[in-house]
Amino acid sequence: MLEFQQQQRDDVVVLQLKGNLDALTATDLRPMIDELVASRKTQVVFDLGGLTLIDSSGVGAIVSLFKRVRLLGGDVKIACLTNQPKEIFRLLRLDRAFDLFETVEEAAQKFQK
Amino acid sequence: MFSANFFGELRRMDRLSITVPCDLRYRDAVGALIRHVCQRLEQQGAVGSLGFQVVSAFNEAFNNLVQYAYRPEPGVVDVVVELRPVELVIELQDSGRTFEFDGVESPDLLHDLPESGLGIFIMRSCMSDVTYEPGASGQKNRLRMTRRLDGDPGTDVQGTSDDA
């Protein structure tokens, strides 16, 4: 099960995910990703503090948004990674592509600089 | 020596087998069982990331069966969890389509950011050994994943090393 919530903080969109982002739920996220790209929201922070599990399909959804936003000149930042999702990000060397932050505030502030 | 002691003092678990429909809704139930076994092993001194890694590998293996082996026809999967003195073995048996497991190359994570094709890489990275035996006629396909309990998986998967 995946719950997600979208918040606007100035020019930054914060996507808060809770639960599992996996083969069963990743498709639920796709419409929101399409909408963000269509509306040219290019400063995005994923708040993954409530994410309990991610698999390759979930990673694929985040990477998809990242690539599309980068094509528009924006960026996607990751905040609050813990436990299994943190392990998967480390394993897949995603820290090379994404900026990782301990808090949403730190990630959002990075866009202001 | 590790013992999951799965049923408390009543019974020592050495081997557990469960058959479920090959449907993602059942994956998490079996995954929770495996996580429970791993947590017991972590309490007995196994490396702290054991549960994350073994469950991640199991999830990818199960996903592959749902998405490739049994598409579009549904089927069942037998999951065997076997505890040995120094390793944990997770085996998935299915009667679906076979695939060229050994022909799947690792993604180049140093120079690429793939959106797909990461499942087998995760399995190989999280476990110490992964083997796939396609079933001969009338036999089941067997994906066997073995994880050492005394440290990191010990695998050297191509695609992530800075020295490559």
Side-chain angles (χ1 to χ4, degrees):
Chain A
M1 180 155 184
L2 175 71
E3 294 176 30
F4 48 88
Q5 194 174 344
Q6 180 178 333
Q7 293 178 334
Q8 187 80 35
R9 297 190 185 188
D10 298 323
D11 292 332
V12 178
V13 175
V14 178
L15 298 179
Q16 184 184 58
L17 305 189
K18 290 183 179 176
N20 295 354
L21 180 58
D22 59 15
L24 196 59
T25 61
T27 50
D28 297 342
L29 199 60
R30 295 280 179 178
M32 188 165 68
I33 289 175
D34 291 342
E35 185 185 325
L36 282 174
V37 173
S39 57
R40 302 185 73 82
K41 304 284 189 186
T42 59
Q43 298 184 341
V44 180
V45 173
F46 271 106
D47 175 0
L48 302 184
L51 198 64
T52 50
L53 183 142
I54 192 167
D55 69 7
S56 57
S57 299
V59 169
I62 292 176
V63 169
S64 170
L65 177 62
F66 173 78
K67 286 182 170 178
R68 294 167 73 183
V69 165
R70 289 294 284 261
L71 280 175
L72 296 173
D75 200 7
V76 174
K77 300 188 188 302
I78 306 292
C80 310
L81 268 177
T82 61
N83 297 330
Q84 189 267 358
K86 188 173 186 177
E87 185 80 11
I88 291 295
F89 267 67
R90 181 194 64 76
L91 185 72
L92 298 178
R93 307 299 301 267
L94 295 176
D95 53 334
R96 286 172 165 263
F98 293 95
D99 292 330
L100 308 182
F101 297 89
E102 295 291 320
T103 66
V104 171
E105 288 69 28
E106 287 176 57
Q109 283 171 8
K110 197 72 177 176
F111 279 116
Q112 314 301 331
K113 294 178 179 176
Chain B
M1 297 281 284
F2 291 89
S3 152
N5 199 13
F6 186 62
F7 297 108
E9 297 303 316
L10 297 178
R11 186 186 306 171
R12 170 180 287 199
M13 187 212 78
D14 292 314
R15 192 172 190 276
L16 175 71
S17 177
I18 185 170
T19 300
V20 295
C22 193
D23 182 309
L24 288 173
R25 289 172 295 183
Y26 290 88
R27 185 196 66 179
D28 290 345
V30 182
L33 190 67
I34 294 171
R35 183 179 299 110
H36 182 84
V37 170
C38 290
Q39 285 171 345
R40 290 295 185 94
L41 293 169
E42 289 169 7
Q43 289 166 4
Q44 294 183 34
V47 64
S49 57
L50 181 76
F52 294 152
Q53 294 180 346
V54 173
V55 171
S56 296
F58 166 76
N59 284 346
E60 299 298 341
F62 202 101
N63 288 352
N64 278 353
L65 295 184
V66 174
Q67 292 168 341
Y68 304 112
Y70 280 126
R71 178 165 284 185
E73 298 85 9
V76 298
V77 55
D78 304 324
V79 182
V80 178
V81 181
E82 186 176 352
L83 181 62
R84 296 174 176 173
V86 294
E87 60 190 21
L88 180 67
V89 179
I90 310 289
E91 184 170 292
L92 285 77
Q93 304 169 1
D94 72 276
S95 301
R97 275 198 306 247
T98 60
F99 67 102
E100 290 290 328
F101 184 86
D102 293 333
V104 178
E105 292 185 3
S106 295
D108 181 0
L109 298 178
L110 292 180
H111 304 100
D112 192 15
L113 189 59
E115 293 178 40
S116 59
L118 296 170
I120 290 176
F121 175 80
I122 290 174
M123 289 160 52
R124 286 173 169 157
S125 300
C126 289
M127 305 298 281
S128 306
D129 187 47
V130 182
T131 59
Y132 178 77
E133 292 176 28
S137 123
Q139 302 292 310
K140 292 183 175 180
N141 307 311
R142 294 172 185 271
L143 178 72
R144 172 173 284 238
M145 303 187 290
T146 304
R147 179 63 162 82
R148 285 171 26 191
L149 299 174
D150 58 351
D152 291 332
T155 43
D156 182 19
V157 181
Q158 291 182 345
T160 59
S161 171
D162 290 318
D163 300 328

